[in-house]
Amino acid sequence: MRAEVWEGLVLPGVIPGPQARTFDVYAIYHPAYTTPWLLATPLKLKVASLKAMYRIAGPSSKIPLAAKQMVGAHRQFVHADESIQRLPELALLAGSILSYLAATAPLAPTGFWDRQPRRNPGRFRRMLMGKPFPQSYPLPSQLRKKASVTRHLPKGILAHRRKTTPLAPPLVL
């Protein structure tokens, strides 16, 4: 195996300088594959982290698979033009973050029978299932204000009570 690293890259059209956001590109060449595994990230990675990520990377379908199972992207159906583009992007972002966390988190066996635990998103999810949600960041009681007007709609029992209408007289032919 061979690895190449390009550090401090900027996107086309960005003027290089101290305020410009940079990213690194890592290329890993494996003799079993014809094309290298590429990773572009704004994070400065250590060699051990990169090696752990490559072990779980395998085929390119692991990141979307991780997002589908961990975040529930397999149940989402979208029809709006913007959402059709945005949901896969968010799923890929979430899947890559989860794969990174799984690769760098401590090994966690799933039970007493698991003598050689491996780092993968599924085991990371099972490890998180037993943990309480962090309380260090208080969530607001109302996430967003509903902008629709509902004053004209009936409220309470009036909203779901059936209205009785007189039957229409039978038709005589």
Side-chain angles (χ1 to χ4, degrees), residues 26 37 71 88 91 110 129 131:
Y26 302 88
W37 180 66
V71 196
T110 56
M129 280 175 52
K131 309 281 188 227

Side-chain angles (χ1 to χ4, degrees), residues 49-133:
S49 299
L50 188 63
K51 187 176 180 182
M53 287 174 64
Y54 179 72
R55 281 190 186 153
I56 68 165
S60 61
S61 64
K62 283 201 174 189
I63 288 178
L65 180 64
K68 287 164 79 174
Q69 297 303 318
M70 296 278 290
V71 196
H74 66 287
R75 286 181 289 235
Q76 305 305 317
F77 300 100
V78 293
H79 303 288
D81 291 337
E82 187 174 339
S83 299
I84 289 172
Q85 182 73 25
R86 187 168 289 180
L87 181 67
E89 289 172 350
L90 290 174
L92 285 173
L93 175 65
S96 58
I97 290 170
L98 291 168
S99 295
Y100 175 76
L101 291 174
T104 57
L107 286 172
T110 56
F112 66 88
W113 61 87
D114 198 3
R115 307 225 179 210
Q116 294 179 344
R118 299 182 70 189
R119 291 181 168 100
N120 61 36
R123 289 174 188 253
F124 184 67
R125 175 183 56 83
R126 283 190 290 278
M127 183 187 73
L128 290 178
M129 280 175 52
K131 309 281 188 227
F133 191 77

